[in-house]
Amino acid sequence: MRLRVLAILAVVFVARVAAAQVDVGRGLFQTRCADCHGIDAKGVHGPDLTVVFAKGATDDQVFQTIRRGVTGTEMPVSTAPDAEIRAVIDYLHTI
């Protein structure tokens, strides 16, 4: 019985941490990305990000695009900490 309670508590804890990570990512997206990608991530000057994973992109590919930027576009290189980029990616999975 104790193990079951501990397992449930662990799941609740992980879910709360994940939700907090998404909230952080949402805030970062709104302040750093929304001018080009739109507050709804459907694109303004930058592409629609609501379909990026449906089109087959992986977390690592999106991470590298954010980190390296996109040559010849308005997408700059990012010097944000890895954790912040991952938070934005976690948020993108929810939209």
Side-chain angles (χ1 to χ4, degrees), residues 43-85:
V44 177
H45 303 288
D48 181 347
L49 299 178
T50 63
V51 297
V52 70
F53 295 109
K55 289 185 174 182
T58 65
D59 286 6
D60 187 57
Q61 289 170 327
V62 174
F63 182 95
Q64 293 305 324
T65 299
I66 294 169
R67 173 63 71 218
R68 295 178 182 159
V70 179
T71 304
T73 72
E74 295 179 44
M75 179 70 184
V77 169
S78 175
T79 58
D82 289 359
E84 290 183 1
I85 294 174

mmCIF file of all heavy atoms in Angstrom, residues 43-85:
data_model
loop_
_atom_site.group_PDB
_atom_site.id
_atom_site.type_symbol
_atom_site.label_atom_id
_atom_site.label_comp_id
_atom_site.label_asym_id
_atom_site.label_seq_id
_atom_site.Cartn_x
_atom_site.Cartn_y
_atom_site.Cartn_z
ATOM 1 N N GLY A 43 2.166 31.743 -36.984
ATOM 2 C CA GLY A 43 3.015 32.440 -37.937
ATOM 3 C C GLY A 43 2.575 33.857 -38.237
ATOM 4 O O GLY A 43 1.389 34.128 -38.354
ATOM 5 N N VAL A 44 3.545 34.743 -38.333
ATOM 6 C CA VAL A 44 3.365 36.124 -38.784
ATOM 7 C C VAL A 44 4.446 36.330 -39.833
ATOM 8 O O VAL A 44 4.197 36.198 -41.014
ATOM 9 C CB VAL A 44 3.478 37.138 -37.619
ATOM 10 C CG1 VAL A 44 3.356 38.563 -38.130
ATOM 11 C CG2 VAL A 44 2.420 36.875 -36.557
ATOM 12 N N HIS A 45 5.662 36.605 -39.375
ATOM 13 C CA HIS A 45 6.821 36.674 -40.271
ATOM 14 C C HIS A 45 7.506 35.307 -40.335
ATOM 15 O O HIS A 45 8.114 34.968 -41.335
ATOM 16 C CB HIS A 45 7.843 37.709 -39.776
ATOM 17 C CG HIS A 45 7.283 39.071 -39.625
ATOM 18 N ND1 HIS A 45 6.963 39.870 -40.686
ATOM 19 C CD2 HIS A 45 6.955 39.774 -38.518
ATOM 20 C CE1 HIS A 45 6.468 41.003 -40.248
ATOM 21 N NE2 HIS A 45 6.458 40.971 -38.929
ATOM 22 N N GLY A 46 7.414 34.573 -39.246
ATOM 23 C CA GLY A 46 7.994 33.237 -39.174
ATOM 24 C C GLY A 46 6.941 32.189 -39.474
ATOM 25 O O GLY A 46 5.746 32.483 -39.538
ATOM 26 N N PRO A 47 7.360 30.942 -39.635
ATOM 27 C CA PRO A 47 6.412 29.880 -40.000
ATOM 28 C C PRO A 47 5.466 29.484 -38.860
ATOM 29 O O PRO A 47 5.707 29.780 -37.695
ATOM 30 C CB PRO A 47 7.310 28.707 -40.362
ATOM 31 C CG PRO A 47 8.586 28.955 -39.654
ATOM 32 C CD PRO A 47 8.736 30.448 -39.569
ATOM 33 N N ASP A 48 4.408 28.817 -39.248
ATOM 34 C CA ASP A 48 3.427 28.242 -38.326
ATOM 35 C C ASP A 48 4.103 27.112 -37.551
ATOM 36 O O ASP A 48 4.566 26.141 -38.136
ATOM 37 C CB ASP A 48 2.243 27.700 -39.142
ATOM 38 C CG ASP A 48 1.134 27.091 -38.308
ATOM 39 O OD1 ASP A 48 1.341 26.845 -37.105
ATOM 40 O OD2 ASP A 48 0.065 26.846 -38.877
ATOM 41 N N LEU A 49 4.154 27.254 -36.237
ATOM 42 C CA LEU A 49 4.794 26.227 -35.412
ATOM 43 C C LEU A 49 3.807 25.232 -34.830
ATOM 44 O O LEU A 49 4.209 24.276 -34.184
ATOM 45 C CB LEU A 49 5.582 26.894 -34.275
ATOM 46 C CG LEU A 49 6.711 27.814 -34.724
ATOM 47 C CD1 LEU A 49 7.387 28.446 -33.512
ATOM 48 C CD2 LEU A 49 7.714 27.078 -35.593
ATOM 49 N N THR A 50 2.526 25.442 -35.090
ATOM 50 C CA THR A 50 1.525 24.530 -34.530
ATOM 51 C C THR A 50 1.549 23.173 -35.224
ATOM 52 O O THR A 50 0.966 22.220 -34.722
ATOM 53 C CB THR A 50 0.109 25.114 -34.592
ATOM 54 O OG1 THR A 50 -0.270 25.306 -35.963
ATOM 55 C CG2 THR A 50 0.022 26.438 -33.842
ATOM 56 N N VAL A 51 2.216 23.097 -36.362
ATOM 57 C CA VAL A 51 2.255 21.841 -37.118
ATOM 58 C C VAL A 51 3.650 21.238 -37.223
ATOM 59 O O VAL A 51 3.835 20.229 -37.890
ATOM 60 C CB VAL A 51 1.671 22.045 -38.540
ATOM 61 C CG1 VAL A 51 0.202 22.437 -38.466
ATOM 62 C CG2 VAL A 51 2.467 23.086 -39.318
ATOM 63 N N VAL A 52 4.609 21.844 -36.562
ATOM 64 C CA VAL A 52 5.997 21.411 -36.724
ATOM 65 C C VAL A 52 6.207 19.946 -36.334
ATOM 66 O O VAL A 52 6.908 19.213 -37.039
ATOM 67 C CB VAL A 52 6.955 22.367 -35.963
ATOM 68 C CG1 VAL A 52 6.836 22.240 -34.464
ATOM 69 C CG2 VAL A 52 8.373 22.162 -36.411
ATOM 70 N N PHE A 53 5.587 19.485 -35.250
ATOM 71 C CA PHE A 53 5.771 18.093 -34.840
ATOM 72 C C PHE A 53 4.922 17.147 -35.690
ATOM 73 O O PHE A 53 5.348 16.035 -35.978
ATOM 74 C CB PHE A 53 5.482 17.926 -33.348
ATOM 75 C CG PHE A 53 6.466 18.684 -32.498
ATOM 76 C CD1 PHE A 53 6.076 19.812 -31.803
ATOM 77 C CD2 PHE A 53 7.788 18.286 -32.423
ATOM 78 C CE1 PHE A 53 6.983 20.525 -31.036
ATOM 79 C CE2 PHE A 53 8.714 18.994 -31.662
ATOM 80 C CZ PHE A 53 8.292 20.122 -30.961
ATOM 81 N N ALA A 54 3.763 17.622 -36.118
ATOM 82 C CA ALA A 54 2.919 16.802 -36.992
ATOM 83 C C ALA A 54 3.608 16.546 -38.331
ATOM 84 O O ALA A 54 3.354 15.532 -38.973
ATOM 85 C CB ALA A 54 1.563 17.468 -37.202
ATOM 86 N N LYS A 55 4.481 17.459 -38.723
ATOM 87 C CA LYS A 55 5.214 17.295 -39.981
ATOM 88 C C LYS A 55 6.481 16.467 -39.805
ATOM 89 O O LYS A 55 7.259 16.325 -40.732
ATOM 90 C CB LYS A 55 5.557 18.663 -40.566
ATOM 91 C CG LYS A 55 4.352 19.399 -41.106
ATOM 92 C CD LYS A 55 4.761 20.682 -41.776
ATOM 93 C CE LYS A 55 3.575 21.353 -42.447
ATOM 94 N NZ LYS A 55 3.976 22.573 -43.150
ATOM 95 N N GLY A 56 6.691 15.942 -38.599
ATOM 96 C CA GLY A 56 7.790 15.005 -38.391
ATOM 97 C C GLY A 56 9.019 15.544 -37.692
ATOM 98 O O GLY A 56 9.990 14.805 -37.516
ATOM 99 N N ALA A 57 9.022 16.802 -37.297
ATOM 100 C CA ALA A 57 10.193 17.341 -36.602
ATOM 101 C C ALA A 57 10.335 16.679 -35.237
ATOM 102 O O ALA A 57 9.348 16.374 -34.572
ATOM 103 C CB ALA A 57 10.065 18.848 -36.439
ATOM 104 N N THR A 58 11.568 16.472 -34.837
ATOM 105 C CA THR A 58 11.855 15.920 -33.508
ATOM 106 C C THR A 58 12.210 17.063 -32.569
ATOM 107 O O THR A 58 12.526 18.180 -33.011
ATOM 108 C CB THR A 58 13.041 14.943 -33.557
ATOM 109 O OG1 THR A 58 14.232 15.678 -33.912
ATOM 110 C CG2 THR A 58 12.797 13.812 -34.545
ATOM 111 N N ASP A 59 12.184 16.761 -31.276
ATOM 112 C CA ASP A 59 12.588 17.764 -30.293
ATOM 113 C C ASP A 59 14.003 18.251 -30.581
ATOM 114 O O ASP A 59 14.286 19.446 -30.498
ATOM 115 C CB ASP A 59 12.523 17.202 -28.878
ATOM 116 C CG ASP A 59 11.104 17.054 -28.352
ATOM 117 O OD1 ASP A 59 10.149 17.275 -29.117
ATOM 118 O OD2 ASP A 59 10.971 16.718 -27.161
ATOM 119 N N ASP A 60 14.896 17.329 -30.917
ATOM 120 C CA ASP A 60 16.278 17.711 -31.180
ATOM 121 C C ASP A 60 16.389 18.612 -32.406
ATOM 122 O O ASP A 60 17.158 19.577 -32.400
ATOM 123 C CB ASP A 60 17.168 16.475 -31.350
ATOM 124 C CG ASP A 60 18.631 16.859 -31.463
ATOM 125 O OD1 ASP A 60 19.140 17.523 -30.529
ATOM 126 O OD2 ASP A 60 19.265 16.526 -32.480
ATOM 127 N N GLN A 61 15.626 18.321 -33.447
ATOM 128 C CA GLN A 61 15.664 19.176 -34.639
ATOM 129 C C GLN A 61 15.166 20.580 -34.319
ATOM 130 O O GLN A 61 15.763 21.567 -34.761
ATOM 131 C CB GLN A 61 14.817 18.561 -35.754
ATOM 132 C CG GLN A 61 15.439 17.321 -36.352
ATOM 133 C CD GLN A 61 14.476 16.579 -37.279
ATOM 134 O OE1 GLN A 61 13.272 16.565 -37.054
ATOM 135 N NE2 GLN A 61 15.030 15.939 -38.291
ATOM 136 N N VAL A 62 14.092 20.671 -33.553
ATOM 137 C CA VAL A 62 13.568 21.986 -33.176
ATOM 138 C C VAL A 62 14.576 22.701 -32.279
ATOM 139 O O VAL A 62 14.839 23.891 -32.451
ATOM 140 C CB VAL A 62 12.186 21.850 -32.493
ATOM 141 C CG1 VAL A 62 11.701 23.188 -31.974
ATOM 142 C CG2 VAL A 62 11.177 21.259 -33.478
ATOM 143 N N PHE A 63 15.167 21.961 -31.336
ATOM 144 C CA PHE A 63 16.186 22.541 -30.460
ATOM 145 C C PHE A 63 17.315 23.139 -31.288
ATOM 146 O O PHE A 63 17.733 24.283 -31.061
ATOM 147 C CB PHE A 63 16.728 21.477 -29.500
ATOM 148 C CG PHE A 63 17.748 22.011 -28.537
ATOM 149 C CD1 PHE A 63 17.363 22.413 -27.281
ATOM 150 C CD2 PHE A 63 19.088 22.111 -28.896
ATOM 151 C CE1 PHE A 63 18.300 22.917 -26.379
ATOM 152 C CE2 PHE A 63 20.022 22.611 -28.018
ATOM 153 C CZ PHE A 63 19.629 23.017 -26.750
ATOM 154 N N GLN A 64 17.828 22.374 -32.243
ATOM 155 C CA GLN A 64 18.956 22.840 -33.063
ATOM 156 C C GLN A 64 18.560 24.037 -33.928
ATOM 157 O O GLN A 64 19.379 24.943 -34.145
ATOM 158 C CB GLN A 64 19.515 21.700 -33.915
ATOM 159 C CG GLN A 64 20.185 20.608 -33.109
ATOM 160 C CD GLN A 64 21.285 21.119 -32.194
ATOM 161 O OE1 GLN A 64 22.027 22.042 -32.522
ATOM 162 N NE2 GLN A 64 21.384 20.524 -31.012
ATOM 163 N N THR A 65 17.333 24.062 -34.417
ATOM 164 C CA THR A 65 16.882 25.209 -35.203
ATOM 165 C C THR A 65 16.856 26.460 -34.342
ATOM 166 O O THR A 65 17.300 27.533 -34.772
ATOM 167 C CB THR A 65 15.485 24.939 -35.801
ATOM 168 O OG1 THR A 65 15.568 23.813 -36.668
ATOM 169 C CG2 THR A 65 14.967 26.142 -36.570
ATOM 170 N N ILE A 66 16.340 26.326 -33.124
ATOM 171 C CA ILE A 66 16.313 27.481 -32.219
ATOM 172 C C ILE A 66 17.735 27.898 -31.870
ATOM 173 O O ILE A 66 18.073 29.086 -31.896
ATOM 174 C CB ILE A 66 15.503 27.155 -30.948
ATOM 175 C CG1 ILE A 66 14.033 26.927 -31.300
ATOM 176 C CG2 ILE A 66 15.648 28.282 -29.921
ATOM 177 C CD1 ILE A 66 13.201 26.344 -30.165
ATOM 178 N N ARG A 67 18.580 26.946 -31.533
ATOM 179 C CA ARG A 67 19.954 27.246 -31.126
ATOM 180 C C ARG A 67 20.740 27.905 -32.247
ATOM 181 O O ARG A 67 21.432 28.900 -32.047
ATOM 182 C CB ARG A 67 20.652 25.946 -30.693
ATOM 183 C CG ARG A 67 22.118 26.055 -30.396
ATOM 184 C CD ARG A 67 22.490 26.963 -29.238
ATOM 185 N NE ARG A 67 22.112 26.374 -27.981
ATOM 186 C CZ ARG A 67 21.614 27.069 -26.952
ATOM 187 N NH1 ARG A 67 21.449 28.364 -27.042
ATOM 188 N NH2 ARG A 67 21.287 26.479 -25.844
ATOM 189 N N ARG A 68 20.644 27.361 -33.457
ATOM 190 C CA ARG A 68 21.474 27.819 -34.576
ATOM 191 C C ARG A 68 20.843 28.927 -35.412
ATOM 192 O O ARG A 68 21.513 29.566 -36.214
ATOM 193 C CB ARG A 68 21.786 26.646 -35.488
ATOM 194 C CG ARG A 68 22.628 25.593 -34.817
ATOM 195 C CD ARG A 68 22.871 24.424 -35.729
ATOM 196 N NE ARG A 68 23.649 23.390 -35.042
ATOM 197 C CZ ARG A 68 23.678 22.144 -35.404
ATOM 198 N NH1 ARG A 68 23.003 21.737 -36.459
ATOM 199 N NH2 ARG A 68 24.401 21.275 -34.726
ATOM 200 N N GLY A 69 19.523 29.129 -35.255
ATOM 201 C CA GLY A 69 18.843 30.084 -36.111
ATOM 202 C C GLY A 69 18.694 29.519 -37.513
ATOM 203 O O GLY A 69 19.066 28.369 -37.779
ATOM 204 N N VAL A 70 18.153 30.323 -38.400
ATOM 205 C CA VAL A 70 17.958 29.893 -39.786
ATOM 206 C C VAL A 70 18.567 30.954 -40.694
ATOM 207 O O VAL A 70 18.067 32.082 -40.780
ATOM 208 C CB VAL A 70 16.459 29.677 -40.120
ATOM 209 C CG1 VAL A 70 16.292 29.263 -41.570
ATOM 210 C CG2 VAL A 70 15.843 28.652 -39.177
ATOM 211 N N THR A 71 19.646 30.596 -41.351
ATOM 212 C CA THR A 71 20.351 31.510 -42.241
ATOM 213 C C THR A 71 19.415 32.023 -43.330
ATOM 214 O O THR A 71 18.628 31.260 -43.890
ATOM 215 C CB THR A 71 21.555 30.787 -42.886
ATOM 216 O OG1 THR A 71 22.385 30.267 -41.849
ATOM 217 C CG2 THR A 71 22.364 31.739 -43.756
ATOM 218 N N GLY A 72 19.505 33.309 -43.604
ATOM 219 C CA GLY A 72 18.707 33.912 -44.666
ATOM 220 C C GLY A 72 17.295 34.269 -44.245
ATOM 221 O O GLY A 72 16.486 34.637 -45.083
ATOM 222 N N THR A 73 16.995 34.117 -42.947
ATOM 223 C CA THR A 73 15.669 34.476 -42.433
ATOM 224 C C THR A 73 15.843 35.392 -41.221
ATOM 225 O O THR A 73 16.965 35.705 -40.812
ATOM 226 C CB THR A 73 14.871 33.230 -41.986
ATOM 227 O OG1 THR A 73 15.435 32.715 -40.769
ATOM 228 C CG2 THR A 73 14.875 32.154 -43.065
ATOM 229 N N GLU A 74 14.732 35.796 -40.659
ATOM 230 C CA GLU A 74 14.772 36.616 -39.451
ATOM 231 C C GLU A 74 15.039 35.795 -38.190
ATOM 232 O O GLU A 74 15.209 36.363 -37.109
ATOM 233 C CB GLU A 74 13.440 37.362 -39.285
ATOM 234 C CG GLU A 74 13.171 38.367 -40.388
ATOM 235 C CD GLU A 74 11.842 39.070 -40.209
ATOM 236 O OE1 GLU A 74 11.526 39.484 -39.080
ATOM 237 O OE2 GLU A 74 11.113 39.189 -41.204
ATOM 238 N N MET A 75 15.111 34.463 -38.307
ATOM 239 C CA MET A 75 15.313 33.598 -37.142
ATOM 240 C C MET A 75 16.770 33.677 -36.693
ATOM 241 O O MET A 75 17.671 33.148 -37.350
ATOM 242 C CB MET A 75 14.943 32.153 -37.484
ATOM 243 C CG MET A 75 15.145 31.162 -36.363
ATOM 244 S SD MET A 75 13.963 31.424 -35.054
ATOM 245 C CE MET A 75 14.552 30.220 -33.880
ATOM 246 N N PRO A 76 17.008 34.337 -35.538
ATOM 247 C CA PRO A 76 18.388 34.512 -35.084
ATOM 248 C C PRO A 76 18.925 33.291 -34.340
ATOM 249 O O PRO A 76 18.164 32.415 -33.915
ATOM 250 C CB PRO A 76 18.262 35.689 -34.111
ATOM 251 C CG PRO A 76 16.906 35.494 -33.502
ATOM 252 C CD PRO A 76 16.042 34.970 -34.647
ATOM 253 N N VAL A 77 20.218 33.259 -34.159
ATOM 254 C CA VAL A 77 20.872 32.293 -33.284
ATOM 255 C C VAL A 77 20.397 32.580 -31.863
ATOM 256 O O VAL A 77 20.223 33.740 -31.484
ATOM 257 C CB VAL A 77 22.407 32.459 -33.382
ATOM 258 C CG1 VAL A 77 23.115 31.675 -32.313
ATOM 259 C CG2 VAL A 77 22.887 32.087 -34.763
ATOM 260 N N SER A 78 20.178 31.543 -31.074
ATOM 261 C CA SER A 78 19.772 31.732 -29.684
ATOM 262 C C SER A 78 20.911 31.378 -28.745
ATOM 263 O O SER A 78 21.530 30.335 -28.871
ATOM 264 C CB SER A 78 18.565 30.862 -29.339
ATOM 265 O OG SER A 78 18.275 30.982 -27.959
ATOM 266 N N THR A 79 21.148 32.263 -27.787
ATOM 267 C CA THR A 79 22.133 31.997 -26.747
ATOM 268 C C THR A 79 21.433 31.666 -25.428
ATOM 269 O O THR A 79 22.069 31.626 -24.378
ATOM 270 C CB THR A 79 23.064 33.204 -26.546
ATOM 271 O OG1 THR A 79 22.275 34.350 -26.211
ATOM 272 C CG2 THR A 79 23.872 33.486 -27.806
ATOM 273 N N ALA A 80 20.143 31.406 -25.490
ATOM 274 C CA ALA A 80 19.382 31.055 -24.288
ATOM 275 C C ALA A 80 19.918 29.760 -23.697
ATOM 276 O O ALA A 80 20.421 28.895 -24.419
ATOM 277 C CB ALA A 80 17.900 30.885 -24.636
ATOM 278 N N PRO A 81 19.811 29.613 -22.384
ATOM 279 C CA PRO A 81 20.212 28.347 -21.770
ATOM 280 C C PRO A 81 19.408 27.176 -22.347
ATOM 281 O O PRO A 81 18.240 27.341 -22.731
ATOM 282 C CB PRO A 81 19.892 28.542 -20.286
ATOM 283 C CG PRO A 81 19.828 30.019 -20.092
ATOM 284 C CD PRO A 81 19.351 30.585 -21.396
ATOM 285 N N ASP A 82 20.027 26.009 -22.392
ATOM 286 C CA ASP A 82 19.360 24.821 -22.919
ATOM 287 C C ASP A 82 18.004 24.587 -22.255
ATOM 288 O O ASP A 82 17.042 24.233 -22.927
ATOM 289 C CB ASP A 82 20.226 23.573 -22.716
ATOM 290 C CG ASP A 82 21.447 23.539 -23.615
ATOM 291 O OD1 ASP A 82 21.643 24.464 -24.432
ATOM 292 O OD2 ASP A 82 22.213 22.571 -23.485
ATOM 293 N N ALA A 83 17.934 24.785 -20.951
ATOM 294 C CA ALA A 83 16.684 24.542 -20.225
ATOM 295 C C ALA A 83 15.563 25.437 -20.725
ATOM 296 O O ALA A 83 14.396 25.014 -20.780
ATOM 297 C CB ALA A 83 16.891 24.737 -18.727
ATOM 298 N N GLU A 84 15.879 26.662 -21.093
ATOM 299 C CA GLU A 84 14.849 27.569 -21.610
ATOM 300 C C GLU A 84 14.374 27.124 -22.992
ATOM 301 O O GLU A 84 13.182 27.165 -23.287
ATOM 302 C CB GLU A 84 15.361 29.002 -21.634
ATOM 303 C CG GLU A 84 15.525 29.584 -20.248
ATOM 304 C CD GLU A 84 15.960 31.035 -20.256
ATOM 305 O OE1 GLU A 84 16.138 31.635 -21.352
ATOM 306 O OE2 GLU A 84 16.115 31.584 -19.143
ATOM 307 N N ILE A 85 15.290 26.700 -23.828
ATOM 308 C CA ILE A 85 14.900 26.210 -25.156
ATOM 309 C C ILE A 85 14.024 24.968 -25.007
ATOM 310 O O ILE A 85 12.998 24.840 -25.669
ATOM 311 C CB ILE A 85 16.141 25.926 -26.030
ATOM 312 C CG1 ILE A 85 16.887 27.225 -26.326
ATOM 313 C CG2 ILE A 85 15.726 25.233 -27.335
ATOM 314 C CD1 ILE A 85 18.202 27.044 -27.058
#
